[in-house]
Amino acid sequence: MRKLILYFNSIKYLNIKRQIFGRVLFILKAQLVKFFIKKNYLQPNNKASFHKKDNYHFIKKKPLYKEFGKVNIINNEVDILNKNLFNTTSKNKLLNYHIHYFDYINYDDLIHNRELFTSLIESWIKKNKIAETTGWDSYPTSLRIVNWIKFIFQNKIENEIIFKSLAVQSRWLSKRIEFHLEGNHLISNAKALIFSGLFFSNQESFKWLEKGIALLSYEIRKQILDDGGHYERSPMYHAIVLEDLIDLIYLFELYKVKEKIRNINVKEMKEKILLMLTWLKNMTHPDGYYSFFNDTALYISPKFKDLNEYASRAIGVVVKKNNYKNVNMENSGFISMKNACFLLLADIGEITSRSQPGHSHAGTFSFELSINERRVFVNSGISTYENSLLRMFQRSTQAHNTLCLNNDNSSEIWHSFRMGNSAKVSKPEISYNKENIKVKCSHTGYQNKYGVIHTRTWNLYKNKLVINDETNQSEFNSVINLYIHPEIEIKNFIEDKVILLWDNKELAIMNFKYCKFEILDSFWYPSINKKIANKNFKIKPLNNKSEIIIDCND
């Protein structure tokens, strides 16, 4: 019965036409499309005009490898010279996907290995018959089309075998749009069709272009919120989508596409990109890496600094420096509070992509904190997408810096990418004065099951952060978890005080009121297939409230 309720609570948010009937149709059409797909050659369009001053046209991605041919792909050392590279028998679907993406042929230090990567592409073509491997799933197909075309541009490739395969993959993708999955996948699908539509030059490719532009136009309006945030509320996927949009504007300029083409207005897209860059800057720690809200991991998407440089160089859009600005990202549900000592990033919003919550976590009111430009409090992050106990933990309320009631989740996460009902959040009360910034809000994630409302208040002063948690009932077991970055050391001071150190230097003193706490061993999961030992403050509120005071040593 419990599982049936979860199914109902998940399905009720789906788009019946797109996601339910669309999924059935997507599965049924696969073999039909495979059987009827044309395999003829298309002539490329040679009208792209590149800037000769550019060493590399698109974003510069730094490789992660120890020696030539050995590439780090999501923390797995992969030998790209291995003749069995594309025999994807591994049970790790995410690793298989990344191998089929072909990102590694466009790494900054490897882009001029023309013969090696041409041979690698031809090897893929020989070993991956249509629809017979995971490489033909729509998402890896979308990324591969774009990566191959970028490689062709950079290395001035003239290869009919590759061109023919690109045409076949584009035909396949045009019939295999992932409407049932929605989210960032659809933007990737649209991007690939636009790349192919401009790369080739005939009536068929023009249809891909039109289809891609129509899809992109619709999805931008739906997925990019008014504050610039991507509606899946993940800094990592936000950065991926942002790179996609910058790539497309740059491609339009290379092919001298008009300012307005059907439903796309280039000027308006640039304004969206500026908003997205600003949002991403506000969600980035002083160390240059993103905050860990929802499905976010390091080394999957470009850093803000690299995206900002790329946007400035390629399309003339750049975010200027802005110190100590407090930002309420109302539409996406985050707040960034900053002064000379602290950067506080907090999740004070609801799930905005209710029809696609697969990358959402039960992390309502979780926060991350940097002190004196050192990352101190971190959410647990993610290291896997496999359907496992670890995946369930990483999406759970317990894995985040927030209050957890009865070891239960504030939103109904289940399976790898499923969510039922989610927490509703009251309108945040935000007040500013000369002395402090105060943010207070409540959520209903535990109301239906336990009748409990959780209220959290952050008070940020010049040298102090005060966090108050309160529930309207005390009969249930509530615990607050605060996870510490692995580089931070903890030194016991007295019973209710703790000193936080970085590199043997005092960063802050923590005081605990109206609660008891213990310090436990735990793990931080900063990237796929990686974990690092850290510490967790497990805090037990007394009489349904607690107060945590963090004094900065400036």
Side-chain angles (χ1 to χ4, degrees), residues 438-481:
K438 179 181 177 181
V439 178
K440 180 180 180 180
C441 39
S442 303
H443 79 74
T444 64
Y446 295 114
Q447 187 175 33
N448 288 342
K449 194 170 182 179
Y450 302 105
V452 173
I453 301 290
H454 172 211
T455 301
R456 171 165 274 187
T457 305
W458 294 270
N459 264 294
L460 183 65
Y461 299 85
K462 180 180 178 181
N463 299 308
K464 180 171 66 175
L465 173 65
V466 181
I467 304 167
N468 294 94
D469 286 286
E470 186 173 353
T471 55
N472 61 333
Q473 295 186 39
S474 57
E475 62 184 281
F476 299 104
N477 178 36
S478 60
V479 170
I480 299 164
N481 292 290

Side-chain angles (χ1 to χ4, degrees), residues 49-60 111 149-156 246-247 250-251 254 310 313-315:
S49 176
F50 292 98
H51 307 302
K52 293 181 180 179
K53 63 182 180 180
D54 287 349
N55 179 49
Y56 184 57
H57 308 300
F58 296 92
I59 194 168
K60 297 175 181 177
I111 54 177
I149 291 175
K150 286 181 178 181
F151 175 74
I152 289 166
F153 284 160
Q154 177 63 29
N155 292 278
K156 299 178 176 60
I246 299 171
D247 278 351
Y250 186 41
L251 192 75
L254 294 177
Y310 174 39
R313 169 178 58 82
I315 63 172

Side-chain angles (χ1 to χ4, degrees), residues 309-354:
E309 182 278 330
Y310 174 39
S312 174
R313 169 178 58 82
I315 63 172
V317 174
V318 64
V319 174
K320 297 178 181 179
K321 290 185 177 180
N322 192 355
N323 294 324
Y324 311 141
K325 185 175 181 181
N326 303 299
V327 182
N328 177 20
M329 291 160 272
E330 185 176 357
N331 305 103
S332 52
F334 292 101
I335 191 162
S336 170
M337 301 192 293
K338 186 174 183 180
N339 61 27
C341 285
F342 296 102
L343 171 63
L344 172 69
L345 301 169
D347 179 351
I348 57 172
E350 300 176 2
I351 307 300
T352 52
S353 55
R354 282 305 303 146

Side-chain angles (χ1 to χ4, degrees), residues 513-525:
K513 292 185 177 182
Y514 320 119
C515 59
K516 295 180 179 180
F517 73 93
E518 56 183 331
I519 301 170
L520 304 178
D521 292 331
S522 58
F523 288 101
W524 183 46
Y525 304 92

Side-chain angles (χ1 to χ4, degrees), residues 282-436:
N282 291 328
M283 295 297 291
T284 299
H285 281 276
D287 62 10
Y289 292 99
Y290 304 135
S291 45
F292 287 81
F293 293 102
N294 299 307
D295 277 348
T296 297
L298 302 181
Y299 315 124
I300 300 293
S301 59
K303 296 164 64 175
F304 163 76
K305 179 182 177 182
D306 296 327
L307 285 167
N308 199 37
E309 182 278 330
Y310 174 39
S312 174
R313 169 178 58 82
I315 63 172
V317 174
V318 64
V319 174
K320 297 178 181 179
K321 290 185 177 180
N322 192 355
N323 294 324
Y324 311 141
K325 185 175 181 181
N326 303 299
V327 182
N328 177 20
M329 291 160 272
E330 185 176 357
N331 305 103
S332 52
F334 292 101
I335 191 162
S336 170
M337 301 192 293
K338 186 174 183 180
N339 61 27
C341 285
F342 296 102
L343 171 63
L344 172 69
L345 301 169
D347 179 351
I348 57 172
E350 300 176 2
I351 307 300
T352 52
S353 55
R354 282 305 303 146
S355 60
Q356 172 47 290
H359 294 300
S360 299
H361 292 191
T364 307
F365 296 169
S366 64
F367 72 95
E368 294 204 335
L369 184 71
S370 283
I371 303 175
N372 290 334
E373 301 197 340
R374 303 294 175 189
R375 198 183 292 229
V376 177
F377 291 103
V378 291
N379 288 320
S380 290
I382 59 166
S383 64
T384 182
Y385 280 166
E386 300 294 324
N387 187 31
S388 62
L389 291 175
L390 180 59
R391 171 67 173 161
M392 290 298 292
F393 168 75
Q394 290 171 354
R395 294 184 74 203
S396 74
T397 303
Q398 292 184 64
H400 296 77
N401 295 325
T402 189
L403 180 142
C404 181
L405 194 77
N406 276 9
N407 295 320
D408 208 346
N409 292 311
S410 56
S411 294
E412 289 180 326
I413 55 109
W414 62 286
H415 211 270
S416 293
F417 300 103
R418 301 284 183 264
M419 180 176 286
N421 288 326
S422 59
K424 303 297 181 185
V425 178
S426 65
K427 184 175 177 61
E429 300 173 23
I430 304 174
S431 59
Y432 303 85
N433 60 47
K434 292 181 180 180
E435 293 185 356
N436 74 312

Side-chain angles (χ1 to χ4, degrees), residues 109-273:
D109 292 352
L110 299 178
I111 54 177
H112 295 294
N113 286 279
R114 177 189 174 110
E115 291 76 19
L116 167 64
F117 291 132
T118 299
S119 174
L120 198 63
I121 290 171
E122 290 177 346
S123 173
W124 186 93
I125 294 167
K126 290 177 183 177
K127 295 178 180 179
N128 286 267
K129 305 303 179 186
I130 297 177
E132 292 184 4
T133 68
T134 57
W136 282 91
D137 287 358
S138 298
Y139 189 67
T141 299
S142 297
L143 271 63
R144 184 173 57 255
I145 287 170
V146 170
N147 280 321
W148 283 14
I149 291 175
K150 286 181 178 181
F151 175 74
I152 289 166
F153 284 160
Q154 177 63 29
N155 292 278
K156 299 178 176 60
I157 301 296
E158 294 287 342
N159 186 307
E160 290 192 9
I161 294 173
I162 296 175
F163 294 166
K164 181 179 178 181
S165 178
L166 272 172
V168 173
Q169 291 177 62
S170 301
R171 291 185 187 109
W172 168 260
L173 178 63
S174 70
K175 306 295 184 184
R176 305 286 294 161
I177 305 299
E178 296 172 290
F179 291 114
H180 60 295
L181 293 181
E182 294 201 341
N184 66 88
H185 281 230
L186 283 179
I187 290 181
S188 292
N189 297 162
K191 176 184 178 181
L193 290 177
I194 293 169
F195 262 68
S196 290
L198 289 172
F199 179 75
F200 293 107
S201 181
N202 73 346
Q203 281 299 313
E204 184 181 15
S205 66
F206 185 72
K207 290 180 181 178
W208 302 337
L209 178 62
E210 284 196 316
K211 189 170 191 174
I213 285 176
L215 179 59
L216 180 71
S217 176
Y218 179 84
E219 292 303 321
I220 286 176
R221 292 195 300 271
K222 177 180 178 179
Q223 296 189 34
I224 310 305
L225 306 174
D226 288 345
D227 62 10
H230 182 250
Y231 82 150
E232 291 184 84
R233 304 179 73 241
S234 153
M236 179 182 78
Y237 282 104
H238 177 104
I240 289 171
V241 170
L242 177 54
E243 182 189 356
D244 288 341
L245 298 187
I246 299 171
D247 278 351
L248 286 168
I249 293 294
Y250 186 41
L251 192 75
F252 291 157
E253 294 185 359
L254 294 177
Y255 277 100
K256 296 181 172 59
V257 173
K258 295 178 181 179
E259 185 70 15
K260 291 185 179 181
I261 175 169
R262 291 282 177 158
N263 298 317
I264 291 290
N265 184 305
V266 173
K267 183 179 178 181
E268 290 178 1
M269 274 188 70
K270 286 186 176 182
E271 291 171 356
K272 288 278 188 185
I273 287 168

